[in-house]
Amino acid sequence: MTAAEIRALDIVDAQGNPLVYTLTPAEENAETDFYLSATVGILKSPANAVARAGENAVFSVLSDGDGTYQWQKFENGVWVDIEGATSNTLEVSASAADNGAKFRCVISKGGVKIATSSAEMVLLGTTDIYVSLEGDNSDGASWSGAYTSLSAAVTRAPAGARIKVAGNASIGGRIGISKNLEIEGGYEFGADAPTGVSVLDCGSSVAAFNVVNSAVLSLKNLEIRNTAGVPAIGVNASTLALEKCRFVNVNTTPSGGAIYAEQGSIVSVESCEFENCSTAYAGGAIFLRNSRGIINSVFIGLNSATTGGAAIYLKDSSLDMTNATIYGGTPAVLGNPRSAVQLVGSKARIDCGTFVQSAASANFFALVDVASELTLRNSIVWGNLAAAFDHSGVLDAKNCIVDTGCAGENISTQNPELSEPAYSGASFVRTMQVSADSVAVGAGVLTDPMSDACSRPRRAPNCTVGAFEYMSDYSQWAVDGGIGDSAQFPTPTE
């Protein structure tokens, strides 16, 4: 971090007094990096929470220390503690009074407090709009009167409405979104609750959505496939929240095959898959410019990009990613170094990731960071045919398995014996599982309880490295804290 960046940190002592830095490098060293030895690290900052009145809006945060939590609300120009809100999760009953309210969490340890970035409550309205080819296309107010076109429903829906989609739907042209909306698929005609996924087929000729004007678009239980021309979803100075969505065969000439976000946008991705996404430039699946990404439980496989980031490309952006399986990305052309994940002037925290078989190219890397900060925890980087990393920035790796090795703490080069990508039980996303005797078992450290990409509880503190948590028997975990052979792997570091 440069001196200017350190001075801008929102860090106070136990009494709330701001820490004062006397970093005055000579002019020729003004851009020299300094390193702050913090006792608290933030794995995942809270994302905007979307809810209807009376529902609970849920905010959550993860840290890599055994500190304490205190949630705050921004009121009358100051941050105010919320009484009793002292866990890593905050639930707030959504109401009109709290629409747009900002929340954050202050994590304390060893006399130091670090505040997360803030997140907003986004209140949806109470109107439901219905879309089904079985409707009569009258008013969209019921299943019988359902619109037969998704674009018509979006145009006529009031701000804050929830659009329920039964069966599959076609998109005749890119749909502009300039108001807060939730689009939820997976319904059967006449049903009250979703039970599957609705397919939005773009016919290999158009894209799906373009979100602008500070709008919030929430998509659930949708599969977007066969887009062309521009990114499947464009996000400009707005918020996109995805849950249980798939992107398949989405192709674009500009950057960002599935998602292109810029100008301070926020992209939240939960339990989603991206497969066969490609771009002629950067970010085969996801491209972020001057934006923020919060990603949990994803499978990003067989994607491609010409200039870097076959899966994800960050430009002057930040990323918190957990439980990600990134598999088989390839460059569209060879020549300059390519990558599965590429950072340029950005900051990324990746926890419990699995990066495997990036490309059949000697100059293809799993992760590339250019003048960036990359923190890697509890992750597997394996089977890549080039070196795992190509970095000119700051790499902080701990408790990882890396076939080519890397600088860091508790780094193993032994084979984790991964399976091929597969669904586990009722999981929505694919993972690469490990066997009981894999070196990955019990080799990582988590201090906050969480689930893996298959929604199975992770064991803390000695979790399995990678996106999948191997647990054969809960009672065995209780006895020895893990079932791997500790001789194969050094003791995980806090």
PDB file of all heavy atoms in Angstrom, residues 72-108:
ATOM      1  N   GLN A  72     -23.088  -1.557  12.620  1.00  0.00           N
ATOM      2  CA  GLN A  72     -23.470  -0.164  12.771  1.00  0.00           C
ATOM      3  C   GLN A  72     -24.416   0.264  11.653  1.00  0.00           C
ATOM      4  O   GLN A  72     -24.396  -0.306  10.563  1.00  0.00           O
ATOM      5  CB  GLN A  72     -22.229   0.736  12.740  1.00  0.00           C
ATOM      6  CG  GLN A  72     -21.249   0.500  13.875  1.00  0.00           C
ATOM      7  CD  GLN A  72     -20.041   1.408  13.774  1.00  0.00           C
ATOM      8  OE1 GLN A  72     -19.600   1.765  12.674  1.00  0.00           O
ATOM      9  NE2 GLN A  72     -19.486   1.797  14.922  1.00  0.00           N
ATOM     10  N   LYS A  73     -25.207   1.276  11.953  1.00  0.00           N
ATOM     11  CA  LYS A  73     -26.110   1.880  10.963  1.00  0.00           C
ATOM     12  C   LYS A  73     -25.744   3.358  10.831  1.00  0.00           C
ATOM     13  O   LYS A  73     -25.424   4.018  11.828  1.00  0.00           O
ATOM     14  CB  LYS A  73     -27.564   1.727  11.416  1.00  0.00           C
ATOM     15  CG  LYS A  73     -28.585   2.277  10.434  1.00  0.00           C
ATOM     16  CD  LYS A  73     -30.001   2.065  10.973  1.00  0.00           C
ATOM     17  CE  LYS A  73     -31.041   2.631  10.012  1.00  0.00           C
ATOM     18  NZ  LYS A  73     -32.433   2.471  10.539  1.00  0.00           N
ATOM     19  N   PHE A  74     -25.792   3.852   9.597  1.00  0.00           N
ATOM     20  CA  PHE A  74     -25.448   5.249   9.350  1.00  0.00           C
ATOM     21  C   PHE A  74     -26.689   6.111   9.582  1.00  0.00           C
ATOM     22  O   PHE A  74     -27.686   6.016   8.855  1.00  0.00           O
ATOM     23  CB  PHE A  74     -24.949   5.415   7.914  1.00  0.00           C
ATOM     24  CG  PHE A  74     -24.252   6.717   7.666  1.00  0.00           C
ATOM     25  CD1 PHE A  74     -23.046   7.010   8.284  1.00  0.00           C
ATOM     26  CD2 PHE A  74     -24.799   7.655   6.807  1.00  0.00           C
ATOM     27  CE1 PHE A  74     -22.386   8.196   8.058  1.00  0.00           C
ATOM     28  CE2 PHE A  74     -24.147   8.852   6.567  1.00  0.00           C
ATOM     29  CZ  PHE A  74     -22.943   9.127   7.197  1.00  0.00           C
ATOM     30  N   GLU A  75     -26.644   6.941  10.625  1.00  0.00           N
ATOM     31  CA  GLU A  75     -27.789   7.765  10.994  1.00  0.00           C
ATOM     32  C   GLU A  75     -27.350   9.200  11.252  1.00  0.00           C
ATOM     33  O   GLU A  75     -26.408   9.443  12.023  1.00  0.00           O
ATOM     34  CB  GLU A  75     -28.473   7.219  12.253  1.00  0.00           C
ATOM     35  CG  GLU A  75     -29.067   5.826  12.092  1.00  0.00           C
ATOM     36  CD  GLU A  75     -29.728   5.333  13.360  1.00  0.00           C
ATOM     37  OE1 GLU A  75     -29.346   5.823  14.445  1.00  0.00           O
ATOM     38  OE2 GLU A  75     -30.614   4.465  13.288  1.00  0.00           O
ATOM     39  N   ASN A  76     -28.020  10.137  10.609  1.00  0.00           N
ATOM     40  CA  ASN A  76     -27.753  11.564  10.821  1.00  0.00           C
ATOM     41  C   ASN A  76     -26.271  11.905  10.667  1.00  0.00           C
ATOM     42  O   ASN A  76     -25.702  12.690  11.438  1.00  0.00           O
ATOM     43  CB  ASN A  76     -28.250  12.002  12.204  1.00  0.00           C
ATOM     44  CG  ASN A  76     -29.740  11.785  12.375  1.00  0.00           C
ATOM     45  OD1 ASN A  76     -30.524  12.044  11.455  1.00  0.00           O
ATOM     46  ND2 ASN A  76     -30.139  11.302  13.543  1.00  0.00           N
ATOM     47  N   GLY A  77     -25.654  11.288   9.690  1.00  0.00           N
ATOM     48  CA  GLY A  77     -24.279  11.627   9.355  1.00  0.00           C
ATOM     49  C   GLY A  77     -23.219  10.936  10.167  1.00  0.00           C
ATOM     50  O   GLY A  77     -22.027  11.201   9.975  1.00  0.00           O
ATOM     51  N   VAL A  78     -23.604  10.001  11.075  1.00  0.00           N
ATOM     52  CA  VAL A  78     -22.612   9.290  11.877  1.00  0.00           C
ATOM     53  C   VAL A  78     -22.970   7.809  11.930  1.00  0.00           C
ATOM     54  O   VAL A  78     -24.128   7.420  11.753  1.00  0.00           O
ATOM     55  CB  VAL A  78     -22.523   9.846  13.321  1.00  0.00           C
ATOM     56  CG1 VAL A  78     -22.040  11.283  13.315  1.00  0.00           C
ATOM     57  CG2 VAL A  78     -23.868   9.733  14.023  1.00  0.00           C
ATOM     58  N   TRP A  79     -21.951   6.975  12.199  1.00  0.00           N
ATOM     59  CA  TRP A  79     -22.174   5.543  12.349  1.00  0.00           C
ATOM     60  C   TRP A  79     -22.524   5.242  13.801  1.00  0.00           C
ATOM     61  O   TRP A  79     -21.801   5.634  14.724  1.00  0.00           O
ATOM     62  CB  TRP A  79     -20.928   4.763  11.946  1.00  0.00           C
ATOM     63  CG  TRP A  79     -20.706   4.753  10.462  1.00  0.00           C
ATOM     64  CD1 TRP A  79     -19.825   5.520   9.764  1.00  0.00           C
ATOM     65  CD2 TRP A  79     -21.396   3.951   9.506  1.00  0.00           C
ATOM     66  NE1 TRP A  79     -19.905   5.247   8.424  1.00  0.00           N
ATOM     67  CE2 TRP A  79     -20.864   4.280   8.236  1.00  0.00           C
ATOM     68  CE3 TRP A  79     -22.395   2.989   9.591  1.00  0.00           C
ATOM     69  CZ2 TRP A  79     -21.311   3.682   7.063  1.00  0.00           C
ATOM     70  CZ3 TRP A  79     -22.844   2.387   8.431  1.00  0.00           C
ATOM     71  CH2 TRP A  79     -22.308   2.731   7.188  1.00  0.00           C
ATOM     72  N   VAL A  80     -23.653   4.535  13.986  1.00  0.00           N
ATOM     73  CA  VAL A  80     -24.180   4.252  15.320  1.00  0.00           C
ATOM     74  C   VAL A  80     -24.230   2.742  15.528  1.00  0.00           C
ATOM     75  O   VAL A  80     -24.736   2.010  14.673  1.00  0.00           O
ATOM     76  CB  VAL A  80     -25.593   4.856  15.491  1.00  0.00           C
ATOM     77  CG1 VAL A  80     -26.140   4.536  16.878  1.00  0.00           C
ATOM     78  CG2 VAL A  80     -25.558   6.362  15.252  1.00  0.00           C
ATOM     79  N   ASP A  81     -23.720   2.269  16.687  1.00  0.00           N
ATOM     80  CA  ASP A  81     -23.768   0.847  17.002  1.00  0.00           C
ATOM     81  C   ASP A  81     -25.207   0.360  17.087  1.00  0.00           C
ATOM     82  O   ASP A  81     -26.085   1.050  17.629  1.00  0.00           O
ATOM     83  CB  ASP A  81     -23.073   0.563  18.336  1.00  0.00           C
ATOM     84  CG  ASP A  81     -21.563   0.715  18.271  1.00  0.00           C
ATOM     85  OD1 ASP A  81     -21.048   0.886  17.149  1.00  0.00           O
ATOM     86  OD2 ASP A  81     -20.919   0.665  19.324  1.00  0.00           O
ATOM     87  N   ILE A  82     -25.461  -0.844  16.571  1.00  0.00           N
ATOM     88  CA  ILE A  82     -26.767  -1.490  16.690  1.00  0.00           C
ATOM     89  C   ILE A  82     -26.707  -2.424  17.891  1.00  0.00           C
ATOM     90  O   ILE A  82     -25.907  -3.364  17.925  1.00  0.00           O
ATOM     91  CB  ILE A  82     -27.120  -2.272  15.418  1.00  0.00           C
ATOM     92  CG1 ILE A  82     -27.127  -1.343  14.205  1.00  0.00           C
ATOM     93  CG2 ILE A  82     -28.468  -2.970  15.563  1.00  0.00           C
ATOM     94  CD1 ILE A  82     -27.299  -2.057  12.878  1.00  0.00           C
ATOM     95  N   GLU A  83     -27.534  -2.174  18.871  1.00  0.00           N
ATOM     96  CA  GLU A  83     -27.488  -2.935  20.115  1.00  0.00           C
ATOM     97  C   GLU A  83     -27.727  -4.425  19.865  1.00  0.00           C
ATOM     98  O   GLU A  83     -28.676  -4.805  19.177  1.00  0.00           O
ATOM     99  CB  GLU A  83     -28.535  -2.407  21.094  1.00  0.00           C
ATOM    100  CG  GLU A  83     -28.474  -3.062  22.464  1.00  0.00           C
ATOM    101  CD  GLU A  83     -29.463  -2.458  23.443  1.00  0.00           C
ATOM    102  OE1 GLU A  83     -30.146  -1.471  23.079  1.00  0.00           O
ATOM    103  OE2 GLU A  83     -29.561  -2.974  24.577  1.00  0.00           O
ATOM    104  N   GLY A  84     -26.852  -5.250  20.408  1.00  0.00           N
ATOM    105  CA  GLY A  84     -26.998  -6.699  20.298  1.00  0.00           C
ATOM    106  C   GLY A  84     -26.527  -7.296  18.988  1.00  0.00           C
ATOM    107  O   GLY A  84     -26.532  -8.520  18.829  1.00  0.00           O
ATOM    108  N   ALA A  85     -26.112  -6.459  18.032  1.00  0.00           N
ATOM    109  CA  ALA A  85     -25.685  -6.958  16.711  1.00  0.00           C
ATOM    110  C   ALA A  85     -24.190  -7.238  16.750  1.00  0.00           C
ATOM    111  O   ALA A  85     -23.375  -6.432  16.275  1.00  0.00           O
ATOM    112  CB  ALA A  85     -26.031  -5.948  15.622  1.00  0.00           C
ATOM    113  N   THR A  86     -23.815  -8.384  17.324  1.00  0.00           N
ATOM    114  CA  THR A  86     -22.408  -8.674  17.578  1.00  0.00           C
ATOM    115  C   THR A  86     -21.947 -10.008  16.996  1.00  0.00           C
ATOM    116  O   THR A  86     -20.978 -10.593  17.470  1.00  0.00           O
ATOM    117  CB  THR A  86     -22.144  -8.652  19.098  1.00  0.00           C
ATOM    118  OG1 THR A  86     -23.027  -9.582  19.749  1.00  0.00           O
ATOM    119  CG2 THR A  86     -22.346  -7.263  19.669  1.00  0.00           C
ATOM    120  N   SER A  87     -22.658 -10.523  15.997  1.00  0.00           N
ATOM    121  CA  SER A  87     -22.202 -11.722  15.299  1.00  0.00           C
ATOM    122  C   SER A  87     -21.775 -11.331  13.893  1.00  0.00           C
ATOM    123  O   SER A  87     -21.864 -10.156  13.512  1.00  0.00           O
ATOM    124  CB  SER A  87     -23.308 -12.783  15.242  1.00  0.00           C
ATOM    125  OG  SER A  87     -24.321 -12.394  14.350  1.00  0.00           O
ATOM    126  N   ASN A  88     -21.328 -12.307  13.090  1.00  0.00           N
ATOM    127  CA  ASN A  88     -20.885 -11.965  11.738  1.00  0.00           C
ATOM    128  C   ASN A  88     -22.052 -11.801  10.766  1.00  0.00           C
ATOM    129  O   ASN A  88     -21.850 -11.497   9.595  1.00  0.00           O
ATOM    130  CB  ASN A  88     -19.908 -13.017  11.213  1.00  0.00           C
ATOM    131  CG  ASN A  88     -20.580 -14.343  10.935  1.00  0.00           C
ATOM    132  OD1 ASN A  88     -21.397 -14.815  11.730  1.00  0.00           O
ATOM    133  ND2 ASN A  88     -20.251 -14.955   9.815  1.00  0.00           N
ATOM    134  N   THR A  89     -23.278 -11.991  11.246  1.00  0.00           N
ATOM    135  CA  THR A  89     -24.475 -11.832  10.410  1.00  0.00           C
ATOM    136  C   THR A  89     -25.448 -10.861  11.064  1.00  0.00           C
ATOM    137  O   THR A  89     -25.663 -10.903  12.277  1.00  0.00           O
ATOM    138  CB  THR A  89     -25.179 -13.186  10.202  1.00  0.00           C
ATOM    139  OG1 THR A  89     -24.287 -14.083   9.546  1.00  0.00           O
ATOM    140  CG2 THR A  89     -26.422 -13.026   9.334  1.00  0.00           C
ATOM    141  N   LEU A  90     -26.015  -9.989  10.265  1.00  0.00           N
ATOM    142  CA  LEU A  90     -27.019  -9.033  10.734  1.00  0.00           C
ATOM    143  C   LEU A  90     -28.313  -9.248   9.956  1.00  0.00           C
ATOM    144  O   LEU A  90     -28.306  -9.263   8.729  1.00  0.00           O
ATOM    145  CB  LEU A  90     -26.526  -7.599  10.525  1.00  0.00           C
ATOM    146  CG  LEU A  90     -27.543  -6.483  10.819  1.00  0.00           C
ATOM    147  CD1 LEU A  90     -27.847  -6.414  12.314  1.00  0.00           C
ATOM    148  CD2 LEU A  90     -27.040  -5.135  10.307  1.00  0.00           C
ATOM    149  N   GLU A  91     -29.417  -9.425  10.675  1.00  0.00           N
ATOM    150  CA  GLU A  91     -30.736  -9.532  10.053  1.00  0.00           C
ATOM    151  C   GLU A  91     -31.567  -8.321  10.467  1.00  0.00           C
ATOM    152  O   GLU A  91     -31.713  -8.036  11.659  1.00  0.00           O
ATOM    153  CB  GLU A  91     -31.437 -10.826  10.453  1.00  0.00           C
ATOM    154  CG  GLU A  91     -30.757 -12.080   9.918  1.00  0.00           C
ATOM    155  CD  GLU A  91     -31.593 -13.329  10.137  1.00  0.00           C
ATOM    156  OE1 GLU A  91     -32.762 -13.190  10.557  1.00  0.00           O
ATOM    157  OE2 GLU A  91     -31.072 -14.433   9.893  1.00  0.00           O
ATOM    158  N   VAL A  92     -32.102  -7.625   9.467  1.00  0.00           N
ATOM    159  CA  VAL A  92     -32.896  -6.427   9.713  1.00  0.00           C
ATOM    160  C   VAL A  92     -34.248  -6.601   9.034  1.00  0.00           C
ATOM    161  O   VAL A  92     -34.313  -6.926   7.845  1.00  0.00           O
ATOM    162  CB  VAL A  92     -32.194  -5.170   9.164  1.00  0.00           C
ATOM    163  CG1 VAL A  92     -33.034  -3.931   9.435  1.00  0.00           C
ATOM    164  CG2 VAL A  92     -30.806  -5.023   9.763  1.00  0.00           C
ATOM    165  N   SER A  93     -35.328  -6.403   9.787  1.00  0.00           N
ATOM    166  CA  SER A  93     -36.663  -6.480   9.196  1.00  0.00           C
ATOM    167  C   SER A  93     -36.842  -5.306   8.239  1.00  0.00           C
ATOM    168  O   SER A  93     -36.741  -4.137   8.634  1.00  0.00           O
ATOM    169  CB  SER A  93     -37.731  -6.433  10.291  1.00  0.00           C
ATOM    170  OG  SER A  93     -39.026  -6.513   9.729  1.00  0.00           O
ATOM    171  N   ALA A  94     -37.069  -5.610   6.982  1.00  0.00           N
ATOM    172  CA  ALA A  94     -37.139  -4.573   5.953  1.00  0.00           C
ATOM    173  C   ALA A  94     -38.393  -3.728   6.126  1.00  0.00           C
ATOM    174  O   ALA A  94     -39.488  -4.249   6.366  1.00  0.00           O
ATOM    175  CB  ALA A  94     -37.123  -5.205   4.570  1.00  0.00           C
ATOM    176  N   SER A  95     -38.219  -2.429   5.997  1.00  0.00           N
ATOM    177  CA  SER A  95     -39.345  -1.494   6.072  1.00  0.00           C
ATOM    178  C   SER A  95     -39.060  -0.313   5.176  1.00  0.00           C
ATOM    179  O   SER A  95     -37.907  -0.061   4.781  1.00  0.00           O
ATOM    180  CB  SER A  95     -39.562  -1.019   7.509  1.00  0.00           C
ATOM    181  OG  SER A  95     -38.472  -0.243   7.942  1.00  0.00           O
ATOM    182  N   ALA A  96     -40.114   0.450   4.873  1.00  0.00           N
ATOM    183  CA  ALA A  96     -39.944   1.610   4.014  1.00  0.00           C
ATOM    184  C   ALA A  96     -38.981   2.618   4.633  1.00  0.00           C
ATOM    185  O   ALA A  96     -38.230   3.293   3.932  1.00  0.00           O
ATOM    186  CB  ALA A  96     -41.300   2.260   3.748  1.00  0.00           C
ATOM    187  N   ALA A  97     -38.983   2.702   5.963  1.00  0.00           N
ATOM    188  CA  ALA A  97     -38.114   3.666   6.642  1.00  0.00           C
ATOM    189  C   ALA A  97     -36.643   3.348   6.443  1.00  0.00           C
ATOM    190  O   ALA A  97     -35.786   4.238   6.497  1.00  0.00           O
ATOM    191  CB  ALA A  97     -38.443   3.692   8.132  1.00  0.00           C
ATOM    192  N   ASP A  98     -36.339   2.080   6.226  1.00  0.00           N
ATOM    193  CA  ASP A  98     -34.942   1.675   6.067  1.00  0.00           C
ATOM    194  C   ASP A  98     -34.521   1.511   4.610  1.00  0.00           C
ATOM    195  O   ASP A  98     -33.396   1.068   4.351  1.00  0.00           O
ATOM    196  CB  ASP A  98     -34.689   0.355   6.804  1.00  0.00           C
ATOM    197  CG  ASP A  98     -34.466   0.573   8.291  1.00  0.00           C
ATOM    198  OD1 ASP A  98     -34.030   1.673   8.660  1.00  0.00           O
ATOM    199  OD2 ASP A  98     -34.747  -0.350   9.073  1.00  0.00           O
ATOM    200  N   ASN A  99     -35.374   1.826   3.670  1.00  0.00           N
ATOM    201  CA  ASN A  99     -34.995   1.717   2.271  1.00  0.00           C
ATOM    202  C   ASN A  99     -33.827   2.654   1.983  1.00  0.00           C
ATOM    203  O   ASN A  99     -33.901   3.865   2.221  1.00  0.00           O
ATOM    204  CB  ASN A  99     -36.175   2.070   1.372  1.00  0.00           C
ATOM    205  CG  ASN A  99     -35.875   1.806  -0.087  1.00  0.00           C
ATOM    206  OD1 ASN A  99     -35.116   0.905  -0.432  1.00  0.00           O
ATOM    207  ND2 ASN A  99     -36.469   2.608  -0.967  1.00  0.00           N
ATOM    208  N   GLY A 100     -32.716   2.102   1.525  1.00  0.00           N
ATOM    209  CA  GLY A 100     -31.527   2.896   1.257  1.00  0.00           C
ATOM    210  C   GLY A 100     -30.622   3.099   2.460  1.00  0.00           C
ATOM    211  O   GLY A 100     -29.565   3.726   2.338  1.00  0.00           O
ATOM    212  N   ALA A 101     -31.017   2.559   3.625  1.00  0.00           N
ATOM    213  CA  ALA A 101     -30.185   2.694   4.823  1.00  0.00           C
ATOM    214  C   ALA A 101     -28.872   1.958   4.632  1.00  0.00           C
ATOM    215  O   ALA A 101     -28.809   0.914   3.980  1.00  0.00           O
ATOM    216  CB  ALA A 101     -30.930   2.150   6.039  1.00  0.00           C
ATOM    217  N   LYS A 102     -27.802   2.501   5.233  1.00  0.00           N
ATOM    218  CA  LYS A 102     -26.477   1.923   5.089  1.00  0.00           C
ATOM    219  C   LYS A 102     -26.062   1.228   6.389  1.00  0.00           C
ATOM    220  O   LYS A 102     -26.302   1.731   7.493  1.00  0.00           O
ATOM    221  CB  LYS A 102     -25.459   3.006   4.743  1.00  0.00           C
ATOM    222  CG  LYS A 102     -25.681   3.641   3.373  1.00  0.00           C
ATOM    223  CD  LYS A 102     -24.614   4.682   3.065  1.00  0.00           C
ATOM    224  CE  LYS A 102     -24.813   5.280   1.682  1.00  0.00           C
ATOM    225  NZ  LYS A 102     -23.775   6.303   1.366  1.00  0.00           N
ATOM    226  N   PHE A 103     -25.417   0.060   6.227  1.00  0.00           N
ATOM    227  CA  PHE A 103     -24.938  -0.715   7.357  1.00  0.00           C
ATOM    228  C   PHE A 103     -23.480  -1.120   7.105  1.00  0.00           C
ATOM    229  O   PHE A 103     -23.064  -1.276   5.963  1.00  0.00           O
ATOM    230  CB  PHE A 103     -25.798  -1.974   7.542  1.00  0.00           C
ATOM    231  CG  PHE A 103     -27.251  -1.687   7.829  1.00  0.00           C
ATOM    232  CD1 PHE A 103     -28.153  -1.495   6.784  1.00  0.00           C
ATOM    233  CD2 PHE A 103     -27.712  -1.593   9.132  1.00  0.00           C
ATOM    234  CE1 PHE A 103     -29.493  -1.217   7.037  1.00  0.00           C
ATOM    235  CE2 PHE A 103     -29.049  -1.328   9.398  1.00  0.00           C
ATOM    236  CZ  PHE A 103     -29.936  -1.139   8.349  1.00  0.00           C
ATOM    237  N   ARG A 104     -22.748  -1.298   8.179  1.00  0.00           N
ATOM    238  CA  ARG A 104     -21.391  -1.820   8.079  1.00  0.00           C
ATOM    239  C   ARG A 104     -21.067  -2.577   9.355  1.00  0.00           C
ATOM    240  O   ARG A 104     -21.808  -2.506  10.352  1.00  0.00           O
ATOM    241  CB  ARG A 104     -20.373  -0.700   7.860  1.00  0.00           C
ATOM    242  CG  ARG A 104     -20.096   0.145   9.096  1.00  0.00           C
ATOM    243  CD  ARG A 104     -19.016   1.183   8.842  1.00  0.00           C
ATOM    244  NE  ARG A 104     -18.644   1.896  10.070  1.00  0.00           N
ATOM    245  CZ  ARG A 104     -17.725   2.847  10.140  1.00  0.00           C
ATOM    246  NH1 ARG A 104     -17.077   3.212   9.029  1.00  0.00           N
ATOM    247  NH2 ARG A 104     -17.435   3.439  11.283  1.00  0.00           N
ATOM    248  N   CYS A 105     -19.958  -3.312   9.343  1.00  0.00           N
ATOM    249  CA  CYS A 105     -19.526  -4.052  10.521  1.00  0.00           C
ATOM    250  C   CYS A 105     -18.123  -3.605  10.909  1.00  0.00           C
ATOM    251  O   CYS A 105     -17.251  -3.460  10.042  1.00  0.00           O
ATOM    252  CB  CYS A 105     -19.541  -5.561  10.251  1.00  0.00           C
ATOM    253  SG  CYS A 105     -19.213  -6.572  11.723  1.00  0.00           S
ATOM    254  N   VAL A 106     -17.925  -3.379  12.202  1.00  0.00           N
ATOM    255  CA  VAL A 106     -16.603  -3.042  12.732  1.00  0.00           C
ATOM    256  C   VAL A 106     -16.051  -4.283  13.426  1.00  0.00           C
ATOM    257  O   VAL A 106     -16.675  -4.823  14.340  1.00  0.00           O
ATOM    258  CB  VAL A 106     -16.669  -1.869  13.715  1.00  0.00           C
ATOM    259  CG1 VAL A 106     -15.283  -1.594  14.311  1.00  0.00           C
ATOM    260  CG2 VAL A 106     -17.194  -0.627  13.018  1.00  0.00           C
ATOM    261  N   ILE A 107     -14.903  -4.756  12.977  1.00  0.00           N
ATOM    262  CA  ILE A 107     -14.272  -5.952  13.526  1.00  0.00           C
ATOM    263  C   ILE A 107     -13.100  -5.520  14.388  1.00  0.00           C
ATOM    264  O   ILE A 107     -12.250  -4.741  13.949  1.00  0.00           O
ATOM    265  CB  ILE A 107     -13.794  -6.886  12.403  1.00  0.00           C
ATOM    266  CG1 ILE A 107     -14.958  -7.211  11.456  1.00  0.00           C
ATOM    267  CG2 ILE A 107     -13.220  -8.178  12.978  1.00  0.00           C
ATOM    268  CD1 ILE A 107     -14.542  -7.937  10.204  1.00  0.00           C
ATOM    269  N   SER A 108     -13.070  -6.017  15.627  1.00  0.00           N
ATOM    270  CA  SER A 108     -12.059  -5.592  16.589  1.00  0.00           C
ATOM    271  C   SER A 108     -11.213  -6.768  17.044  1.00  0.00           C
ATOM    272  O   SER A 108     -11.723  -7.868  17.274  1.00  0.00           O
ATOM    273  CB  SER A 108     -12.722  -4.966  17.825  1.00  0.00           C
ATOM    274  OG  SER A 108     -13.569  -3.897  17.459  1.00  0.00           O
TER     275      SER A 108
END
